[in-house]
Amino acid sequence: MQSLSSKKYKKVFTDTFPGDESGDKQPRQTPGVLYSKAIPTPVKQPELLAWSEELAKELGILKPASQEEVELLSGNRIAETMYPYAACYAGHQFGHWAGQLGDGRAITLGEWETTAGKAWELQLKGAGPTPYSRRADGRAVMRSSVREYLMSEAMHYLGVPTTRALSLVSTGDQVMRDMFYNGNAAFEPGAIVMRVAPSFLRFGNFEILAARKEKENLQKLTDWTISRYYPHIAGEGEEKVLAWFKEIVERTAALMVEWLRVGFVHGVMNTDNMSILGLTIDYGPYSFLDDYDPNFTPNTTDLPGRRYAFGKQAAIAKWNLGCLASAIAPLLSGTEQLIAALEAYDNIYWEKYYTMMANKIGLDLLREQDVELIRAFEKMLSTIKPDMTIFFQLLINLPAQLAGEEETVHHFQQSFYNTLDKAESELLFNLMQQYMERLTQNSISEEDARKRMQEHNPRFILRNYLLHQAIEELERGNNDLFLQLQDALKEPYSAKYDKFFAKRPAWASQKAGCSMLSCSS
């Protein structure tokens, strides 16, 4: 175990690629470089609010034992071998080309190498302006920082690929934010999260180089990414690039299936928010589903089109992969194989999706006729709109014999937000009869089926209203709920924290910050 201040940091990325070393943080275009040096801007009074003990242990990092160490987590102090920088990238935002974007409020401090030889990038979010901040201040508020810190770790314990969060620090500064972009700006307490990932490379890192026709840099970044993060890929030249893209397609499809498994809605699936490693990255106006609604988006900026709604995420991922394919196309002599690799996404996704759903409902394996059963589940859920998490938990304990429609409805009553009408009750009952008949064909025991369902259906999720309550209490100096959520998220498949096993309360359905959020969240 080492302290943050004593570690000798690596800086492979900045040593490998051209960058702007001036340290000038004036917003500007930076052609020809992949990053710009960016020293964090000091804050008034940094205080450590949260520390991820398990992640720290995995990385071999000692918890800060002095204010001097906390200063490193806020950017007030930089270790001798750190080289802070902001990455340059572009992206398609809400389906439109946005040009240069870059790390506007994220600053990578350096690469922490573990004793096992694995490198992790340490990045501060909210540490002040960079050349890519445009008209913003580079800061983050407590509200958004708590959400990022907790959800990063929650997704990890759910088993969903994700970036991680090591620490949460309050800054002692007030930050002006217009939460819903409606002209009602107000001061909020500032905070900084230290994010951790093997790499924060995005689709947009490749898009910017293609857009600027910097083919040499594009080739170099592609080769380096494959060598460093996909070392198992064999071959040379174009063959290697195609194999790499195929794996990104596979990882991205798998990630979408995992999001749908737990009911996660990202909210801002722009190409600059798509990880080249297939990780969940950039936690903004996200949400878990409460009532099951494929058309639900938690992002006010995504209205009225709902481009990034829960049920559209898999299709958007393919669209984003198409943007990445276009970016790397200049490295290939033709696009026929690239297009074929992209089109393979659909089969890969649906195979993974139906297998996942079979596990959620306790089937021994996915048989051809099970696809129709799963589609029937989707139709029922979309019609009745029960609480997704609670419904699947109740499904686990569905009695082997159901006396009738009334008993079936009663069994799932805890998950309903509205009283079912006759047609909805019949839909549910008929499906459950069909489902119970299918379970009799299982080649695994009832106990094994139940265990499979418990492993694939979370019992605890970080609901937005809980996060909102924790944030409000933290801002008043009370961290009780925050600490409870931090503990609960580590055991999402357990009944240990059933105090949180409840539907979204009625008051939270319209309250700001509990149902809908903006990109500033």
Side-chain angles (χ1 to χ4, degrees):
M1 301 286 282
Q2 275 188 278
S3 67
L4 287 161
S5 56
S6 65
K7 181 74 171 181
K8 184 175 181 180
Y9 292 86
K10 302 278 187 177
K11 54 187 187 76
V12 178
F13 184 81
T14 55
D15 284 344
T16 303
F17 298 103
D20 182 338
E21 313 286 353
S22 69
D24 179 7
K25 291 186 279 189
Q26 183 71 25
R28 63 192 184 279
Q29 295 290 309
T30 59
V33 302
L34 277 72
Y35 68 90
S36 292
K37 183 178 180 181
I39 303 297
T41 303
V43 297
K44 183 179 179 181
Q45 191 175 349
E47 178 184 347
L48 183 61
L49 297 181
W51 177 259
S52 179
E53 296 282 0
E54 293 79 9
L55 176 59
K57 184 177 180 180
E58 182 181 344
L59 271 57
I61 301 178
L62 289 169
K63 184 176 181 178
S66 65
Q67 184 59 27
E68 187 179 67
E69 289 284 311
V70 175
E71 300 277 330
L72 279 168
L73 298 174
S74 70
N76 279 18
R77 183 168 164 263
I78 300 299
E80 185 179 346
T81 55
M82 286 178 174
Y83 186 89
Y85 70 91
C88 178
Y89 49 81
H92 284 82
Q93 298 193 324
F94 297 95
H96 303 285
W97 176 244
Q100 177 183 290
L101 298 167
D103 288 331
R105 59 173 174 172
I107 296 175
T108 300
L109 299 178
E111 298 155 22
W112 178 285
E113 190 171 80
T114 67
T115 54
K118 185 175 181 179
W120 295 80
E121 293 180 7
L122 304 186
Q123 185 181 88
L124 297 180
K125 186 171 182 179
T130 77
Y132 309 110
S133 297
R134 289 164 284 174
R135 296 181 297 277
D137 57 15
R139 293 301 188 189
V141 296
M142 181 77 72
R143 169 172 49 85
S144 63
S145 300
V146 168
R147 287 173 55 81
E148 174 121 19
Y149 175 83
L150 288 177
M151 187 55 79
S152 299
E153 293 305 282
M155 292 289 268
H156 167 72
Y157 287 102
L158 282 165
V160 181
T162 180
T163 58
R164 303 288 301 276
L166 180 64
S167 65
L168 172 66
V169 170
S170 62
T171 64
D173 293 326
Q174 293 291 305
V175 179
M176 180 72 77
R177 283 293 179 271
D178 185 350
M179 183 175 176
F180 289 105
Y181 303 142
N182 60 4
N184 295 314
F187 281 108
E188 299 184 48
I192 296 172
V193 173
M194 177 172 277
R195 307 197 294 187
V196 178
S199 174
F200 288 94
L201 280 173
R202 307 136 187 277
F203 290 8
N205 291 87
F206 298 83
E207 287 184 284
I208 187 72
L209 300 177
R212 288 176 169 167
K213 295 181 169 51
E214 296 177 16
K215 187 176 178 180
E216 184 178 341
N217 279 336
L218 178 62
Q219 184 74 65
K220 189 174 182 181
L221 179 61
T222 300
D223 292 342
W224 182 81
T225 301
I226 296 171
S227 172
R228 187 169 175 83
Y229 302 110
Y230 294 81
H232 54 280
I233 294 180
E236 296 294 333
E238 293 189 13
E239 177 189 355
K240 200 167 190 176
V241 173
L242 283 165
W244 171 62
F245 181 70
K246 287 177 183 178
E247 185 159 340
I248 296 172
V249 168
E250 177 101 19
R251 290 192 188 191
T252 303
L255 181 65
M256 293 304 104
V257 170
E258 283 297 287
W259 284 5
L260 298 187
R261 177 178 69 83
V262 299
F264 178 77
V265 196
H266 185 280
V268 202
M269 286 182 66
N270 299 329
T271 58
D272 55 296
N273 293 336
M274 295 291 292
S275 163
I276 207 71
L277 301 184
L279 306 175
T280 313
I281 190 171
D282 286 340
Y283 291 95
Y286 64 77
S287 180
F288 281 111
L289 285 188
D290 291 309
D291 51 312
Y292 188 93
D293 182 1
N295 207 34
F296 171 70
T297 178
N299 186 359
T300 56
T301 317
D302 196 25
L303 299 174
R306 299 179 184 269
R307 176 181 175 84
Y308 298 144
F310 176 70
K312 296 179 181 177
Q313 293 180 122
I316 290 298
K318 183 183 179 184
W319 193 91
N320 289 344
L321 284 164
C323 293
L324 177 63
S326 295
I328 64 173
L331 306 180
L332 305 173
S333 55
T335 59
E336 186 176 334
Q337 289 180 279
L338 189 63
I339 292 170
L342 175 63
E343 291 307 316
Y345 172 88
D346 294 313
N347 287 337
I348 294 169
Y349 167 76
W350 286 113
E351 182 179 347
K352 290 180 182 294
Y353 174 77
Y354 285 124
T355 299
M356 175 274 289
M357 285 299 295
N359 286 326
K360 277 183 78 71
I361 62 176
L363 305 186
D364 55 344
L365 51 83
L366 180 67
R367 306 176 188 185
E368 189 174 341
Q369 64 269 28
D370 293 335
V371 170
E372 287 305 314
L373 176 65
I374 291 168
R375 287 175 180 166
F377 262 93
E378 292 170 344
K379 179 182 177 181
M380 180 274 297
L381 291 168
S382 300
T383 301
I384 296 174
K385 292 184 169 57
D387 187 280
M388 178 181 174
T389 300
I390 295 176
F391 176 86
F392 279 105
Q393 286 296 311
L394 296 175
L395 188 68
I396 294 172
N397 298 311
L398 185 68
Q401 298 294 327
L402 291 169
E405 185 178 305
E406 186 176 338
E407 183 186 344
T408 304
V409 171
H410 179 74
H411 178 79
F412 290 103
Q413 190 65 49
Q414 189 182 357
S415 70
F416 299 147
Y417 285 93
N418 300 293
T419 303
L420 269 56
D421 61 26
K422 182 62 176 173
E424 291 170 339
S425 297
E426 288 178 356
L427 179 65
L428 175 62
F429 177 60
N430 291 337
L431 175 60
M432 288 304 106
Q433 287 186 307
Q434 182 184 351
Y435 169 59
M436 296 300 288
E437 173 61 28
R438 169 60 181 86
L439 289 184
T440 63
Q441 303 168 27
N442 264 357
S443 59
I444 57 176
S445 67
E446 286 184 26
E447 183 181 348
D448 286 343
R450 189 174 294 113
K451 183 180 178 183
R452 182 171 296 187
M453 295 171 77
Q454 290 169 338
E455 290 172 347
H456 288 84
N457 292 295
R459 191 169 179 88
F460 171 82
I461 56 170
L462 267 179
R463 296 180 188 266
N464 268 351
Y465 83 90
L466 291 172
L467 283 162
H468 186 73
Q469 288 179 315
I471 292 163
E472 286 190 327
E473 291 185 13
L474 268 178
E475 291 177 348
R476 293 194 295 264
N478 181 353
N479 68 350
D480 289 350
L481 180 55
F482 174 87
L483 294 176
Q484 290 173 36
L485 295 178
Q486 189 175 24
D487 287 338
L489 63 82
K490 296 172 187 175
E491 300 184 59
Y493 299 97
S494 162
K496 183 177 179 180
Y497 295 94
D498 268 7
K499 63 179 292 184
F500 299 119
F501 187 67
K503 291 179 295 187
R504 178 195 64 229
W507 61 261
S509 61
Q510 298 299 324
K511 185 174 175 61
C514 291
S515 54
M516 298 289 289
L517 304 108
S518 72
C519 287
S520 72
S521 303

